[in-house]
Amino acid sequence: MEVTLRIKRFDPERDQAPTYKDYTVKCAPTDRVLDLLNEIKWYQDGTLTYRRSCAHGVCGSDAMLINGVNRLACKVLVKDLASPIVVEPLRGFPVIKDLVVDMTGFFAAYRSVKPWLINNEPAPARERLQSPKDRERFDDGTKCILCAACTTSCPSFWANPEYIGPAAIVNAHRFIFDSRDQGAEERLNVLNQTEGVWRCRTIFNCTDACPRDIEVTRLIQDVKRSILVGKA
Amino acid sequence: MGAIELSRQGVDVAVVSKLYPTRSHTGAAQGGIGAALANVEEDHAHWHAFDTVKGSDYLADQDAVEIMCRDAIEIVYELEHMGLPFSRDAEGRIAQRRFGGHTKEFGKAPVHRACYAADRTGHMILQTLYQQCLKHGVRFFDEYHMLDLVFQGDRCVGIVAYELATGQIHTMYAKAVLLATGGFGRMFKITSNALALTGDGPAIVWRKGLPLEDMEFFQFHPTGIYKLGILLSEAARGEGAILINGRGERFMERYAPTIKDLAPRDMVSRAIHREIMEGRGINGEDYVYMDHRHLGKDVIEERLPDITDFIRTYLGIDPVSELVPIQPTAHYAMGGIPTDVDGRVISDAGNTPVPGLYAAGECACVSVHGANRLGTNSLVDIVVFGRRAGRHIAEFVRTVDMPSPETGSDPAEPTRKLLQSILDSTGGERPADIRKEMQEEMMMHASVSREEKGLRQVQEVLAQLRQRYQNIQIEDKGKQFNIELMEAVELGFLLDCAEALVACALNRTESRGAHYRTDYPNRDDENWLKHTLIYRNGQGLEFKYKPVVITQFQPQERTY
C-alpha cells in the first residue's frame, strides 16, 4: 500500500517559519510510523530530522504528534491511522529542528521532584523487605520512560510552561508511595507550590497520551490528596 | 554504575552520551539480573559460576566469572538499596525466576536465580542508575556523540565529541575515559538492538591500532518477534512458555532433554534454525511458534506485561489465546574491547593495560561470557564491572596529572576532516543502500550458522561496501541536529565491526557457543580453547591469541 505523510518541517538554519511537506511512501499496514520516517530519511529526504532509538516503545525517544495525538512513532501502526498521516513535533516545547524539541525544561522539572530514593537509615545486609501490596502501590509510575507525551498533551502546560507537568508528578508519585522512601514531605512541598499539582485541571489528556498506559491523572490526584489529607 | 562509584568517591565525573541517558538500550533488557540470592530455593554463587562457564562453552575466563557471580549478590542488594523496584515474593524479598542455562547442582534442574522487576528489569536498572547519578551530582553531556579518543603517547587523555545541538566538535580532556557504548547488533537485518547500537566504542578503539577480542561470538536470541526482531524475553520460557514447530512438536525435548526450552540461547537458536532448515518451520517458512497459552492470563499479564504489550501491538494477536511467531534475532556481542577484571583496556595477549582507558558492558570483553552469554548475565556484567572500573579509576586518577592540550597539534583534526569529507562528498552513494546490503549479507552468512564459502562471500561484499563507503553522499549539510551525518559516521563504525567479526569467524575453524561452522561442527579444545585478538595494521588484519583462564571447571562436553 501507499500512504502520504504530511510532516511539519522547520530548519532553524534556513526557515523563518515551519512548513508542511508531503511524502508518499510504500509500506505494509503493519509498519510503524517510525518505519515510514526512516524510509523517508534514508531514501527520499535525508534532511528530515527526528529522535529515535529502540524502535519498540521502551526508550521514549520518538514521542511526537501523530494525527493530532501524542504517540510514540515506533508504537503506532499505519493500519490504525487515517491518511494522510500528519506528523508534528510535541506541543509546548521549543522546536529545535523538524520533530526534535528542546527537552531541557522537561528534565529540569523531573529533577526538581528529587527522583531518587530518599532513605537515610543504614541499609540492611540483604534487601529491604517490601510486601507485594506495598510494591504494587507505586507500580504504575515505575513504567514511565520520560517520553514527555503526557506533559506535552496537557492544556495547562501549554498555557503555562512553568507548570511542573504530569511526568514530573508521576515520578514524584513513584517515590512518595514507595514504602522504602522517606522523602515524601520534601517532594510534596515542591508539588504544593504555585507551579505544582494544583495547575492540573483533571483533563485526562495525559492519561490518554501515555504510551505505557500509566493512569497519569489518577496518580496526580493521589498526590493532591496526599497534600490535603496526608499520604494514604 | 562507574559514574556513581566515582562520584561517591569525590571524583569529578561526567557522562557523555549520544542519546539522553534514559534512552540507552539497557532499558530494553527484560527478564532479570542473575544472582544466587537463594530467595526461592537453595543456590550458590559457585553454581552460578559453573553455569556461566558451561554456558560460555568454556571460553569465559573463570577468574572473572568467579568475581562476577560473587559480586552479583551484593550488587543486587545495593541496587535494591538504591531504590530499584524489584518484584517481591510473599515474604517481601526480591522475586526470582528461572532462566535459560541457570541450574542447580551443576546442571541437574533449572533454578530460580533471575531477580526481576516484571519483564522490565533493565528499564528499572537504567532509571535507578540515572536517578542515583542525579542524586550524586554527576554532570551529563546529553546528545554529545563520541567520535574519537585522544591519546598522548600510549596514554588515553580524553575524547572528541560532536555536539548534536550545535554541530560543534569538542575535545574533552580527562585523567581517565570509561567506554560504555554498548553493542553493534545493527550490522544484522533482524535484531533486537536499538538503532543507536552501532559499535562506536569498539570501532574507535580498533582504529587506534588496539585489538578487539572474540568478535566471532555474536549471540542470536531465540525469540525475536517474526520479521521485526523485537525481543520477547527468555522470562516467557522461564515462566513456562514452550517452543513448537510446524508439526506441533515441542522440539527442544530432542535437543536438550533435561532443561528443554530453558537451554542456553545459542543451542535454542541453533535448534530453531535446524527445524526451519529441515522443513519443520510453521508452514515450511522461516519461523516457529512460542506458546504461552497454558500459563493463563494472570501470569502472562502480571509477570510478562511488556512483552504481552509488544505482541498485541506489533502482531495484533493475544498471547493468552494465540501462538506467537518467533525467529532468532541478533542480540548481543560477547566480544568487544578486551579488558581485565578492573575494566582496564588491554593492548596484547600479555594483558598490558592502556593507561587511562577503560571499558565495561557489552562494548567490552572481560571475558565473562566466552562463546555464549547466559540470559541475565549482561545486567550482572554492566553493574559489576562498571563498578569495578569506577573503583579502579578512582585510584588511578590520584596517581596522574590532569592532561593538558599538546601545543601544535589538534586532536580533533581527524574528526573534523572525516565530517567535512562526508559533508563535501558528491560521490552519490546512499548510506542506506550500503547499510541494507551489509545487514542482509551478515544475516545470510554470518549469523546463527556459518561456513567458509558464505563467510568468504560476505567478506568480499564488505570490502566492496567499504570502498563504496568512501563515496557516500548526504543531503543534510546543516550544523544543528545533523542526524544524517551521524548515521553516516555510525555506518563506518558498523562496517569496521562487521569486518572484524567476519574475519574472526573465518579464522576460527571450530564450532563453539554462538559461533557455529557447518564445515567444522565440533568444538576443538586442542587448537581453539583460546581467545582471538584481532588487530588492523595498515591494510592487513593480524590475529593473536590469549589463553583462557581456567580455575576450577575443566572443559567437558556441553549437554543439557
Side-chain angles (χ1 to χ4, degrees), chain A residues 51 74-75 126 128 174, chain B residues 39 81 83 88 143 309 314:
Chain A
R51 293 188 177 105
C74 62
K75 229 187 153 180
R126 294 180 59 105
R128 291 191 174 100
R174 176 254 171 274
Chain B
N39 281 354
H81 297 156
R88 301 289 172 155
E143 298 186 317
D309 180 33
Y314 297 110

Side-chain angles (χ1 to χ4, degrees), chain A residues 140-205:
Chain A
D140 214 17
T142 67
K143 298 188 291 194
C144 176
I145 54 174
L146 298 170
C147 69
C150 57
T151 296
T152 58
S153 71
C154 174
S156 302
F157 177 77
W158 300 336
N160 174 15
E162 298 300 311
Y163 169 37
I164 197 165
I169 302 172
V170 163
N171 282 280
H173 182 285
R174 176 254 171 274
F175 289 101
I176 292 168
F177 291 92
D178 185 332
S179 57
R180 301 169 296 173
D181 186 82
Q182 301 169 336
E185 200 178 334
E186 329 176 21
R187 295 193 184 90
L188 291 173
N189 280 341
V190 173
L191 295 169
N192 195 22
Q193 306 292 313
T194 322
E195 309 301 349
V197 285
W198 307 112
R199 294 277 169 196
C200 168
R201 292 290 184 270
T202 329
I203 299 163
F204 281 91
N205 274 17

Side-chain angles (χ1 to χ4, degrees), chain A residues 12-13 30 32 34 38 41-47 49-61 74-75 77 96-97 100 103-104 107 110-111 115-117 123-132 135 138-139 142-147 174-175 178 180 211-212, chain B residues 19-20 22-23 25 27-28 30 37 39 77 80-94 117 120 123-124 127 130-132 134-135 143 192-196 228 230 306 309-310 313-314 430 432-433 435-436 475-476 478-484 487 490:
Chain A
E13 295 170 68
T30 51
R32 300 160 276 197
L34 179 62
N38 286 338
K41 182 170 186 66
W42 295 342
Y43 297 102
Q44 296 186 25
D45 183 349
T47 65
T49 302
Y50 48 93
R51 293 188 177 105
R52 82 288 176 276
S53 188
C54 80
H56 65 285
V58 296
C59 82
S61 296
C74 62
K75 229 187 153 180
L77 308 185
I96 297 176
K97 180 178 177 182
V100 174
M103 301 193 73
T104 313
F107 279 98
Y110 170 70
R111 286 193 299 272
W116 50 80
L117 190 83
R126 294 180 59 105
E127 67 265 64
R128 291 191 174 100
L129 297 179
Q130 181 170 54
S131 72
R135 170 65 181 77
F138 67 100
D139 185 64
T142 67
K143 298 188 291 194
C144 176
I145 54 174
L146 298 170
C147 69
R174 176 254 171 274
F175 289 101
D178 185 332
R180 301 169 296 173
R212 303 284 288 166
Chain B
L19 305 169
Y20 270 103
T22 57
R23 315 298 187 215
H25 212 52
Q30 297 168 356
L37 306 188
N39 281 354
Y77 291 139
E80 195 282 328
H81 297 156
M82 288 176 175
L84 197 140
F86 283 107
S87 296
R88 301 289 172 155
D89 66 15
E91 280 77 47
R93 295 174 304 198
I94 294 169
R120 40 180 89 108
H123 165 76
M124 301 303 188
Q127 297 289 328
Y130 182 60
Q131 292 159 359
Q132 290 294 307
L134 295 179
K135 178 184 169 188
E143 298 186 317
S192 64
N193 282 198
L195 287 146
L228 292 173
I230 295 170
D306 274 6
D309 180 33
F310 300 153
T313 301
Y314 297 110
R430 195 152 49 192
D433 292 332
R435 185 168 50 231
K436 190 170 177 216
E475 287 173 78
D476 195 337
K479 294 255 182 237
Q480 297 186 21
F481 265 91
N482 194 335
I483 305 270
E484 193 186 19
E487 284 188 349
E490 289 173 330

